Amino acid sequence: MKADIHPDYHTVTVKMTDGTEFTTRTTWGKKGDTLHLDIDPKSHPAWTGGQQQLMDRGGRLSRFQKRFAGFIKEESKEPKEPKTDATKK
């Protein structure tokens, strides 16, 4: 086996959105760092069934909604008239 090819694993503290913490081994950061999660299984709608709203941390969610607001076409509330083809006789 080659020497010094494996990454340096060390312990870091992971802080969830609700304030709970746990310690894990990772290659992220430096030994003793704290990883703050913006979205985790306790707050993300994919795991909670959509019952909770996403927390807007640093305006990221509002910037996303503002940027992509025009992609969703809203339906008009007026009744639509049936289309007639005037070229057919």
Side-chain angles (χ1 to χ4, degrees):
M1 282 178 86
K2 291 184 180 180
D4 300 324
I5 63 169
H6 297 288
D8 176 37
Y9 279 94
H10 48 271
T11 57
V12 297
T13 303
V14 179
K15 189 169 185 179
M16 308 283 266
T17 57
D18 65 350
T20 59
E21 297 178 352
F22 66 93
T23 303
T24 188
R25 288 174 31 98
T26 184
T27 59
W28 178 87
K30 297 175 184 169
K31 185 176 182 178
D33 282 351
T34 301
L35 175 63
H36 296 275
L37 297 179
D38 289 336
I39 296 177
D40 63 26
K42 295 179 182 179
S43 66
H44 195 280
W47 287 284
T48 62
Q51 303 300 326
Q52 295 177 331
Q53 295 293 325
L54 288 173
M55 296 175 68
D56 191 3
R57 302 251 180 163
R60 288 183 222 151
L61 184 60
S62 57
R63 275 196 321 247
F64 177 84
Q65 290 172 341
K66 184 179 178 182
R67 182 175 179 187
F68 294 105
F71 282 98
I72 300 174
K73 192 173 188 180
E74 293 185 19
E75 293 284 331
S76 174
K77 293 186 180 181
E78 298 175 9
K80 293 182 179 179
E81 295 180 19
K83 294 182 180 179
T84 57
D85 193 3
T87 60
K88 291 184 181 178
K89 290 187 179 186

Coordinates of all heavy atoms in Angstrom, one line a residue:
M1 N 0.8 -1.2 0.0 CA 0.0 0.0 0.0 C 0.9 1.2 0.0 O 1.9 1.3 0.6 CB -0.9 0.0 1.2 CG -2.1 -0.9 1.2 SD -3.1 -0.8 2.7 CE -4.1 0.6 2.3
K2 N 0.4 2.3 -0.7 CA 1.1 3.5 -0.7 C 0.9 4.3 0.6 O -0.2 4.3 1.2 CB 0.6 4.4 -1.8 CG 0.9 3.9 -3.2 CD 0.5 4.9 -4.2 CE 0.9 4.4 -5.6 NZ 0.4 5.3 -6.6
A3 N 1.9 4.9 1.1 CA 1.8 5.7 2.3 C 1.2 7.1 2.0 O 1.4 7.6 0.9 CB 3.2 5.8 3.0
D4 N 0.5 7.7 3.0 CA 0.0 9.0 2.9 C -0.9 9.3 1.7 O -0.9 10.4 1.2 CB 1.2 10.0 2.9 CG 2.1 9.9 4.1 OD1 1.5 9.7 5.2 OD2 3.3 10.1 3.9
I5 N -1.7 8.3 1.4 CA -2.7 8.6 0.3 C -4.1 8.8 0.9 O -5.0 9.2 0.2 CB -2.7 7.5 -0.7 CG1 -3.1 6.1 -0.1 CG2 -1.4 7.4 -1.5 CD1 -3.4 5.1 -1.2
H6 N -4.3 8.4 2.1 CA -5.6 8.5 2.7 C -5.9 9.9 3.3 O -4.9 10.5 3.8 CB -5.8 7.5 3.8 CG -5.8 6.1 3.3 ND1 -6.8 5.5 2.5 CD2 -4.8 5.1 3.4 CE1 -6.4 4.3 2.2 NE2 -5.3 4.0 2.7
P7 N -7.1 10.4 3.3 CA -7.4 11.8 3.8 C -7.3 11.7 5.3 O -7.4 10.7 6.0 CB -8.8 12.1 3.4 CG -9.4 10.7 3.1 CD -8.3 9.8 2.7
D8 N -7.1 12.9 5.9 CA -6.9 13.1 7.3 C -8.3 13.1 8.0 O -9.1 14.1 7.8 CB -6.2 14.4 7.7 CG -6.1 14.6 9.1 OD1 -6.0 13.7 9.9 OD2 -6.2 15.8 9.5
Y9 N -8.7 12.1 8.7 CA -10.0 12.1 9.4 C -9.8 12.6 10.8 O -8.8 12.3 11.5 CB -10.6 10.6 9.5 CG -11.3 10.2 8.2 CD1 -10.6 9.5 7.3 CD2 -12.6 10.5 8.0 CE1 -11.2 9.1 6.1 CE2 -13.2 10.1 6.9 CZ -12.5 9.4 5.9 OH -13.1 9.0 4.8
H10 N -10.7 13.5 11.2 CA -10.7 14.1 12.5 C -12.1 14.3 13.0 O -13.0 14.1 12.2 CB -9.9 15.4 12.5 CG -10.3 16.3 11.4 ND1 -9.8 16.2 10.1 CD2 -11.3 17.2 11.3 CE1 -10.4 17.1 9.3 NE2 -11.3 17.7 10.0
T11 N -12.3 14.7 14.3 CA -13.6 14.8 14.8 C -14.0 16.3 14.7 O -13.2 17.2 14.9 CB -13.7 14.4 16.3 OG1 -12.7 15.1 17.0 CG2 -13.4 12.9 16.4
V12 N -15.3 16.5 14.4 CA -15.9 17.8 14.3 C -17.3 17.7 15.0 O -17.8 16.6 15.1 CB -16.1 18.4 12.9 CG1 -14.8 18.5 12.2 CG2 -17.0 17.5 12.1
T13 N -17.8 18.8 15.4 CA -19.1 18.9 16.0 C -20.1 19.4 15.0 O -19.9 20.4 14.3 CB -19.1 19.9 17.2 OG1 -18.1 19.4 18.2 CG2 -20.5 19.9 17.9
V14 N -21.2 18.7 14.8 CA -22.3 19.1 13.9 C -23.4 19.7 14.7 O -23.9 19.0 15.6 CB -22.7 17.9 13.0 CG1 -23.8 18.3 12.1 CG2 -21.6 17.3 12.3
K15 N -23.8 20.9 14.3 CA -24.9 21.6 15.1 C -26.1 21.6 14.1 O -26.0 22.2 13.1 CB -24.5 23.0 15.5 CG -25.5 23.6 16.4 CD -24.9 24.9 17.0 CE -25.9 25.5 18.0 NZ -25.4 26.7 18.6
M16 N -27.2 21.0 14.6 CA -28.4 20.9 13.8 C -29.2 22.2 13.9 O -28.8 23.1 14.7 CB -29.3 19.8 14.3 CG -28.6 18.5 14.4 SD -28.4 17.7 12.8 CE -29.8 16.6 12.8
T17 N -30.2 22.4 13.1 CA -31.0 23.6 13.1 C -31.8 23.9 14.4 O -32.0 25.0 14.8 CB -32.0 23.7 11.9 OG1 -32.9 22.5 12.0 CG2 -31.3 23.7 10.6
D18 N -32.1 22.8 15.1 CA -32.8 22.9 16.4 C -31.9 23.1 17.6 O -32.3 23.2 18.7 CB -33.7 21.8 16.6 CG -33.0 20.4 16.8 OD1 -31.8 20.4 16.6 OD2 -33.7 19.5 17.2
G19 N -30.6 23.2 17.3 CA -29.6 23.4 18.4 C -28.9 22.2 18.9 O -28.0 22.3 19.7
T20 N -29.4 21.0 18.6 CA -28.8 19.8 19.1 C -27.5 19.6 18.4 O -27.3 20.1 17.2 CB -29.7 18.5 18.8 OG1 -30.0 18.4 17.4 CG2 -31.0 18.7 19.6
E21 N -26.5 18.9 19.0 CA -25.2 18.7 18.5 C -24.8 17.3 18.6 O -25.3 16.5 19.5 CB -24.2 19.6 19.3 CG -24.4 21.0 19.2 CD -23.4 21.8 20.0 OE1 -22.6 21.2 20.7 OE2 -23.3 23.0 19.9
F22 N -23.9 16.8 17.7 CA -23.3 15.5 17.8 C -21.9 15.6 17.2 O -21.6 16.5 16.5 CB -24.1 14.4 17.1 CG -24.3 14.5 15.6 CD1 -23.4 13.9 14.8 CD2 -25.3 15.3 15.1 CE1 -23.5 14.0 13.4 CE2 -25.4 15.4 13.7 CZ -24.5 14.7 12.9
T23 N -21.1 14.7 17.6 CA -19.7 14.6 17.1 C -19.5 13.5 16.1 O -20.1 12.4 16.3 CB -18.7 14.4 18.3 OG1 -19.0 15.4 19.3 CG2 -17.3 14.5 17.9
T24 N -18.8 13.8 15.1 CA -18.6 12.8 14.0 C -17.2 12.9 13.5 O -16.5 13.9 13.7 CB -19.6 12.9 12.9 OG1 -19.5 11.7 12.0 CG2 -19.5 14.2 12.1
R25 N -16.7 11.9 12.8 CA -15.4 11.9 12.1 C -15.6 12.3 10.7 O -16.6 11.8 10.0 CB -14.7 10.6 12.2 CG -14.3 10.3 13.6 CD -13.7 8.9 13.7 NE -13.0 8.3 12.6 CZ -11.7 8.3 12.3 NH1 -10.9 8.8 13.2 NH2 -11.2 7.8 11.3
T26 N -14.8 13.2 10.1 CA -14.9 13.7 8.8 C -13.6 14.2 8.2 O -12.6 14.4 9.0 CB -16.0 14.8 8.7 OG1 -16.2 15.2 7.3 CG2 -15.6 16.0 9.5
T27 N -13.6 14.5 7.0 CA -12.4 15.2 6.4 C -12.7 16.7 6.2 O -11.8 17.4 5.8 CB -12.1 14.6 5.0 OG1 -13.2 14.7 4.1 CG2 -11.7 13.1 5.1
W28 N -13.9 17.1 6.5 CA -14.3 18.5 6.4 C -13.6 19.3 7.5 O -13.5 18.9 8.7 CB -15.8 18.7 6.5 CG -16.3 20.1 6.5 CD1 -16.6 20.8 5.4 CD2 -16.5 21.0 7.6 NE1 -16.9 22.1 5.7 CE2 -16.9 22.2 7.1 CE3 -16.4 20.8 9.0 CZ2 -17.2 23.3 7.9 CZ3 -16.7 21.9 9.8 CH2 -17.1 23.1 9.2
G29 N -13.1 20.5 7.2 CA -12.6 21.5 8.2 C -11.4 21.0 8.9 O -10.6 20.2 8.4
K30 N -11.2 21.5 10.1 CA -10.1 21.2 10.9 C -10.6 20.5 12.2 O -11.7 20.6 12.5 CB -9.3 22.4 11.3 CG -8.7 23.1 10.1 CD -8.0 24.4 10.5 CE -7.6 25.2 9.2 NZ -7.1 26.5 9.5
K31 N -9.7 19.9 12.9 CA -10.0 19.2 14.1 C -10.7 20.1 15.1 O -10.1 21.2 15.4 CB -8.8 18.5 14.7 CG -9.1 17.7 15.9 CD -7.9 17.0 16.5 CE -8.2 16.1 17.6 NZ -7.1 15.4 18.1
G32 N -11.8 19.8 15.6 CA -12.5 20.6 16.6 C -13.4 21.7 16.0 O -14.1 22.4 16.8
D33 N -13.5 21.8 14.7 CA -14.5 22.8 14.1 C -15.9 22.4 14.4 O -16.2 21.3 14.7 CB -14.2 22.8 12.6 CG -13.0 23.7 12.2 OD1 -12.4 24.3 13.1 OD2 -12.6 23.6 11.0
T34 N -16.8 23.4 14.2 CA -18.2 23.2 14.3 C -18.9 23.4 12.9 O -18.7 24.4 12.3 CB -18.9 24.1 15.3 OG1 -18.2 23.9 16.6 CG2 -20.3 23.8 15.5
L35 N -19.6 22.4 12.5 CA -20.4 22.5 11.2 C -21.8 22.9 11.5 O -22.5 22.1 12.2 CB -20.3 21.2 10.5 CG -21.1 21.0 9.2 CD1 -20.6 22.0 8.1 CD2 -21.0 19.6 8.6
H36 N -22.3 24.0 11.1 CA -23.6 24.5 11.3 C -24.5 24.2 10.1 O -24.2 24.6 9.0 CB -23.7 26.0 11.6 CG -23.0 26.5 12.8 ND1 -23.5 26.5 14.0 CD2 -21.7 26.9 13.0 CE1 -22.7 26.9 14.9 NE2 -21.5 27.1 14.3
L37 N -25.5 23.4 10.3 CA -26.4 23.0 9.2 C -27.5 24.0 9.0 O -28.1 24.4 10.0 CB -27.0 21.6 9.5 CG -26.0 20.4 9.6 CD1 -26.7 19.1 9.8 CD2 -25.1 20.3 8.3
D38 N -27.8 24.4 7.7 CA -28.9 25.2 7.4 C -30.2 24.4 7.2 O -31.3 24.8 7.6 CB -28.6 26.0 6.1 CG -27.6 27.1 6.3 OD1 -27.4 27.5 7.5 OD2 -27.0 27.5 5.3
I39 N -30.0 23.2 6.7 CA -31.1 22.3 6.5 C -30.7 20.9 7.0 O -29.6 20.5 6.6 CB -31.5 22.2 5.0 CG1 -32.0 23.6 4.5 CG2 -32.6 21.2 4.7 CD1 -32.3 23.7 3.1
D40 N -31.5 20.3 7.7 CA -31.2 18.9 8.2 C -32.5 18.1 8.2 O -33.6 18.6 7.9 CB -30.6 19.0 9.6 CG -31.5 19.5 10.7 OD1 -32.7 19.5 10.5 OD2 -31.0 20.0 11.7
P41 N -32.4 16.8 8.5 CA -33.6 15.9 8.4 C -34.8 16.4 9.3 O -35.9 16.0 9.1 CB -33.1 14.6 8.8 CG -31.6 14.6 8.5 CD -31.2 16.0 8.7
K42 N -34.5 17.2 10.3 CA -35.6 17.6 11.2 C -36.3 18.8 10.7 O -37.4 19.1 11.1 CB -35.0 17.9 12.6 CG -34.4 16.7 13.3 CD -33.8 17.1 14.6 CE -33.2 15.9 15.3 NZ -32.6 16.2 16.6
S43 N -35.7 19.5 9.7 CA -36.4 20.7 9.2 C -36.7 20.7 7.7 O -37.5 21.5 7.2 CB -35.5 22.0 9.5 OG -34.3 21.9 8.8
H44 N -36.1 19.8 7.0 CA -36.3 19.8 5.5 C -37.6 19.1 5.1 O -38.0 18.0 5.7 CB -35.2 19.1 4.8 CG -35.1 19.3 3.4 ND1 -35.9 18.6 2.5 CD2 -34.3 20.2 2.6 CE1 -35.6 19.1 1.3 NE2 -34.7 20.0 1.3
P45 N -38.4 19.7 4.3 CA -39.7 19.1 3.9 C -39.6 17.7 3.3 O -40.6 17.0 3.4 CB -40.3 20.1 2.9 CG -39.5 21.3 3.0 CD -38.2 21.0 3.6
A46 N -38.5 17.4 2.7 CA -38.4 16.0 2.1 C -38.5 14.9 3.2 O -39.0 13.8 2.9 CB -37.1 15.9 1.4
W47 N -38.1 15.2 4.4 CA -38.1 14.3 5.5 C -39.3 14.5 6.4 O -39.8 13.6 7.0 CB -36.8 14.3 6.3 CG -35.7 13.7 5.7 CD1 -35.4 12.4 5.5 CD2 -34.6 14.5 5.1 NE1 -34.2 12.3 4.8 CE2 -33.7 13.5 4.5 CE3 -34.3 15.8 4.9 CZ2 -32.5 13.9 3.9 CZ3 -33.1 16.2 4.3 CH2 -32.2 15.2 3.8
T48 N -39.8 15.7 6.5 CA -40.9 16.0 7.4 C -42.3 15.9 6.7 O -43.3 16.1 7.4 CB -40.7 17.5 8.0 OG1 -40.8 18.4 6.9 CG2 -39.4 17.6 8.7
G49 N -42.3 15.7 5.4 CA -43.6 15.6 4.8 C -44.1 17.0 4.4 O -45.3 17.1 4.1
G50 N -43.3 18.0 4.4 CA -43.8 19.3 4.0 C -44.6 20.1 5.1 O -45.2 21.1 4.7
Q51 N -44.6 19.6 6.3 CA -45.4 20.3 7.3 C -44.7 21.5 7.8 O -45.4 22.5 8.3 CB -45.6 19.3 8.5 CG -46.3 18.0 8.1 CD -47.7 18.3 7.5 OE1 -48.4 19.2 7.9 NE2 -48.0 17.4 6.5
Q52 N -43.4 21.6 7.8 CA -42.7 22.8 8.2 C -42.2 23.6 7.1 O -42.0 23.1 6.0 CB -41.4 22.3 9.1 CG -41.8 21.6 10.3 CD -40.5 21.1 11.0 OE1 -39.5 20.9 10.4 NE2 -40.6 21.0 12.3
Q53 N -42.0 24.9 7.4 CA -41.5 25.8 6.4 C -40.0 25.8 6.5 O -39.4 25.7 7.5 CB -42.0 27.2 6.6 CG -43.5 27.3 6.4 CD -43.9 27.1 5.0 OE1 -43.2 27.5 4.1 NE2 -45.1 26.4 4.8
L54 N -39.3 26.1 5.3 CA -37.8 26.2 5.3 C -37.5 27.5 6.0 O -38.1 28.5 5.8 CB -37.3 26.2 3.9 CG -37.3 24.9 3.2 CD1 -36.9 25.1 1.7 CD2 -36.4 23.9 3.8
M55 N -36.4 27.5 6.8 CA -36.0 28.7 7.5 C -35.1 29.5 6.5 O -34.3 28.9 5.8 CB -35.2 28.3 8.8 CG -36.0 27.6 9.8 SD -35.0 27.1 11.2 CE -34.6 28.6 11.9
D56 N -35.3 30.8 6.5 CA -34.5 31.6 5.6 C -33.3 32.1 6.3 O -33.3 32.9 7.2 CB -35.4 32.8 5.1 CG -34.7 33.5 4.0 OD1 -33.7 33.1 3.5 OD2 -35.3 34.5 3.5
R57 N -32.1 31.5 6.0 CA -30.9 31.8 6.6 C -30.1 32.7 5.7 O -29.7 32.3 4.6 CB -30.1 30.6 6.9 CG -30.8 29.6 7.8 CD -30.2 29.6 9.1 NE -30.9 28.7 10.0 CZ -30.4 28.2 11.1 NH1 -29.3 28.6 11.5 NH2 -31.1 27.4 11.8
G58 N -29.9 34.0 6.1 CA -29.1 34.9 5.3 C -29.7 35.3 4.0 O -29.1 35.8 3.1
G59 N -31.0 35.2 3.9 CA -31.8 35.7 2.7 C -31.6 34.8 1.5 O -32.1 35.1 0.4
R60 N -31.1 33.6 1.6 CA -30.9 32.7 0.5 C -32.2 32.2 -0.1 O -32.4 32.2 -1.3 CB -30.1 31.5 0.9 CG -28.7 31.8 1.1 CD -27.9 30.5 1.4 NE -27.0 30.8 2.5 CZ -26.6 30.0 3.4 NH1 -27.0 28.7 3.3 NH2 -25.8 30.3 4.4
L61 N -33.2 31.9 0.7 CA -34.5 31.4 0.3 C -35.2 32.5 -0.4 O -35.8 32.3 -1.5 CB -35.3 30.8 1.4 CG -36.6 30.2 1.1 CD1 -36.4 29.0 0.1 CD2 -37.3 29.7 2.3
S62 N -35.2 33.7 0.1 CA -36.0 34.8 -0.5 C -35.3 35.2 -1.8 O -36.0 35.6 -2.7 CB -36.1 36.0 0.5 OG -34.8 36.4 0.9
R63 N -34.0 35.2 -1.9 CA -33.3 35.5 -3.1 C -33.6 34.5 -4.2 O -33.9 34.8 -5.4 CB -31.8 35.5 -2.9 CG -31.2 36.8 -2.4 CD -29.7 36.9 -2.6 NE -29.0 35.7 -2.3 CZ -28.2 35.5 -1.3 NH1 -27.9 36.4 -0.4 NH2 -27.6 34.3 -1.1
F64 N -33.7 33.2 -3.8 CA -34.1 32.2 -4.8 C -35.5 32.4 -5.3 O -35.8 32.3 -6.5 CB -34.0 30.8 -4.1 CG -34.4 29.7 -5.0 CD1 -33.5 29.1 -5.9 CD2 -35.7 29.2 -4.9 CE1 -33.9 28.1 -6.7 CE2 -36.1 28.1 -5.7 CZ -35.2 27.6 -6.7
Q65 N -36.5 32.7 -4.3 CA -37.8 32.9 -4.7 C -38.0 34.1 -5.6 O -38.8 34.1 -6.6 CB -38.7 33.0 -3.5 CG -38.9 31.7 -2.8 CD -39.6 31.8 -1.5 OE1 -39.7 32.9 -0.9 NE2 -40.1 30.7 -1.0
K66 N -37.2 35.1 -5.4 CA -37.3 36.4 -6.2 C -36.7 36.1 -7.5 O -37.3 36.6 -8.5 CB -36.5 37.5 -5.4 CG -36.6 38.8 -6.1 CD -35.8 39.9 -5.3 CE -35.8 41.2 -6.0 NZ -35.0 42.2 -5.3
R67 N -35.6 35.4 -7.6 CA -34.9 35.1 -8.9 C -35.8 34.3 -9.8 O -35.8 34.5 -11.0 CB -33.6 34.4 -8.6 CG -32.8 34.2 -9.8 CD -31.4 33.6 -9.4 NE -30.6 33.4 -10.6 CZ -29.5 32.7 -10.6 NH1 -29.0 32.4 -9.4 NH2 -28.8 32.5 -11.7
F68 N -36.5 33.3 -9.3 CA -37.2 32.3 -10.1 C -38.7 32.5 -10.0 O -39.5 31.6 -10.4 CB -36.8 30.9 -9.7 CG -35.4 30.6 -10.0 CD1 -34.4 30.5 -9.0 CD2 -35.0 30.4 -11.3 CE1 -33.1 30.2 -9.3 CE2 -33.6 30.1 -11.6 CZ -32.7 30.0 -10.6
A69 N -39.2 33.7 -9.6 CA -40.6 33.9 -9.5 C -41.3 33.9 -10.8 O -42.4 33.5 -10.9 CB -40.8 35.3 -8.8
G70 N -40.6 34.4 -11.9 CA -41.2 34.4 -13.2 C -41.4 33.1 -13.9 O -42.1 33.0 -15.0
F71 N -40.8 32.0 -13.4 CA -40.9 30.7 -14.1 C -42.2 30.0 -13.9 O -42.6 29.2 -14.6 CB -39.7 29.8 -13.6 CG -38.4 30.2 -14.2 CD1 -37.5 31.0 -13.6 CD2 -38.1 29.7 -15.5 CE1 -36.3 31.3 -14.2 CE2 -36.9 30.1 -16.1 CZ -36.0 30.8 -15.4
I72 N -42.9 30.4 -12.8 CA -44.2 29.8 -12.5 C -45.3 30.7 -13.1 O -45.4 31.8 -12.7 CB -44.4 29.6 -11.0 CG1 -43.3 28.7 -10.5 CG2 -45.8 29.0 -10.8 CD1 -43.4 28.5 -9.0
K73 N -46.0 30.1 -14.1 CA -47.0 30.9 -14.8 C -48.3 30.8 -14.0 O -48.8 29.7 -13.7 CB -47.2 30.4 -16.2 CG -48.0 31.3 -17.0 CD -48.0 30.8 -18.5 CE -48.7 31.8 -19.4 NZ -48.7 31.3 -20.8
E74 N -48.9 31.9 -13.5 CA -50.1 31.9 -12.8 C -51.3 31.9 -13.7 O -51.3 32.5 -14.7 CB -50.1 33.1 -11.8 CG -49.1 33.1 -10.8 CD -49.2 34.3 -9.8 OE1 -50.3 34.9 -9.8 OE2 -48.2 34.6 -9.1
E75 N -52.3 31.1 -13.3 CA -53.5 30.9 -14.1 C -54.4 32.2 -14.0 O -54.5 32.7 -12.9 CB -54.3 29.7 -13.7 CG -53.6 28.4 -14.0 CD -53.7 28.0 -15.4 OE1 -54.6 28.4 -16.1 OE2 -52.7 27.4 -15.9
S76 N -55.0 32.6 -15.0 CA -55.9 33.7 -15.0 C -57.2 33.3 -14.4 O -57.7 32.1 -14.6 CB -56.1 34.3 -16.4 OG -57.1 35.2 -16.4
K77 N -57.8 34.1 -13.6 CA -59.1 33.7 -12.9 C -60.3 34.0 -13.9 O -61.4 33.6 -13.5 CB -59.3 34.5 -11.6 CG -58.2 34.1 -10.6 CD -58.4 34.7 -9.3 CE -57.4 34.3 -8.3 NZ -57.5 34.8 -7.0
E78 N -60.1 34.6 -15.0 CA -61.2 34.9 -15.9 C -61.5 33.6 -16.7 O -60.5 32.8 -17.0 CB -60.8 36.0 -16.9 CG -60.5 37.3 -16.2 CD -60.0 38.3 -17.2 OE1 -60.0 38.1 -18.5 OE2 -59.6 39.4 -16.8
P79 N -62.7 33.3 -17.0 CA -63.0 32.1 -17.8 C -62.5 32.2 -19.2 O -62.5 33.3 -19.8 CB -64.6 32.0 -17.8 CG -65.0 33.4 -17.5 CD -63.9 34.1 -16.7
K80 N -61.9 31.1 -19.7 CA -61.3 31.1 -21.0 C -62.4 30.9 -22.1 O -63.3 30.1 -21.9 CB -60.3 30.0 -21.1 CG -59.1 30.3 -20.2 CD -58.1 29.2 -20.4 CE -56.9 29.4 -19.6 NZ -55.9 28.4 -19.7
E81 N -62.3 31.6 -23.2 CA -63.2 31.4 -24.3 C -62.7 30.3 -25.2 O -61.5 30.1 -25.3 CB -63.3 32.7 -25.1 CG -63.9 33.9 -24.4 CD -63.9 35.1 -25.3 OE1 -63.9 35.0 -26.5 OE2 -64.1 36.2 -24.7
P82 N -63.6 29.5 -25.7 CA -63.1 28.4 -26.5 C -62.5 28.9 -27.8 O -63.0 29.9 -28.4 CB -64.4 27.6 -26.8 CG -65.5 28.5 -26.5 CD -65.0 29.5 -25.5
K83 N -61.4 28.3 -28.2 CA -60.7 28.8 -29.4 C -61.4 28.2 -30.7 O -61.8 27.0 -30.7 CB -59.3 28.3 -29.4 CG -58.4 28.9 -28.3 CD -57.0 28.5 -28.4 CE -56.2 29.1 -27.3 NZ -54.8 28.7 -27.4
T84 N -61.7 29.1 -31.6 CA -62.3 28.6 -32.9 C -61.3 28.8 -34.0 O -60.5 29.8 -34.0 CB -63.5 29.4 -33.2 OG1 -63.2 30.8 -33.2 CG2 -64.6 29.2 -32.1
D85 N -61.3 27.9 -34.9 CA -60.4 28.0 -36.0 C -61.1 28.6 -37.2 O -61.9 27.9 -37.9 CB -59.8 26.6 -36.4 CG -58.6 26.7 -37.3 OD1 -58.2 27.8 -37.7 OD2 -58.1 25.6 -37.7
A86 N -60.8 29.9 -37.5 CA -61.5 30.6 -38.6 C -61.1 30.2 -40.0 O -61.7 30.5 -41.0 CB -61.3 32.1 -38.4
T87 N -60.0 29.4 -40.1 CA -59.4 29.1 -41.4 C -60.1 27.8 -41.9 O -60.1 27.6 -43.1 CB -57.9 28.8 -41.3 OG1 -57.7 27.7 -40.4 CG2 -57.2 30.0 -40.9
K88 N -60.8 27.0 -41.1 CA -61.5 25.8 -41.6 C -62.8 26.2 -42.1 O -63.6 27.0 -41.5 CB -61.6 24.8 -40.5 CG -60.3 24.2 -40.1 CD -60.5 23.1 -39.1 CE -59.2 22.5 -38.7 NZ -59.4 21.4 -37.7
K89 N -63.3 25.7 -43.2 CA -64.6 26.0 -43.8 C -65.3 24.8 -44.2 O -64.8 23.8 -44.5 CB -64.5 26.9 -45.0 CG -64.1 28.3 -44.6 CD -64.1 29.2 -45.7 CE -63.7 30.6 -45.3 NZ -63.8 31.6 -46.2

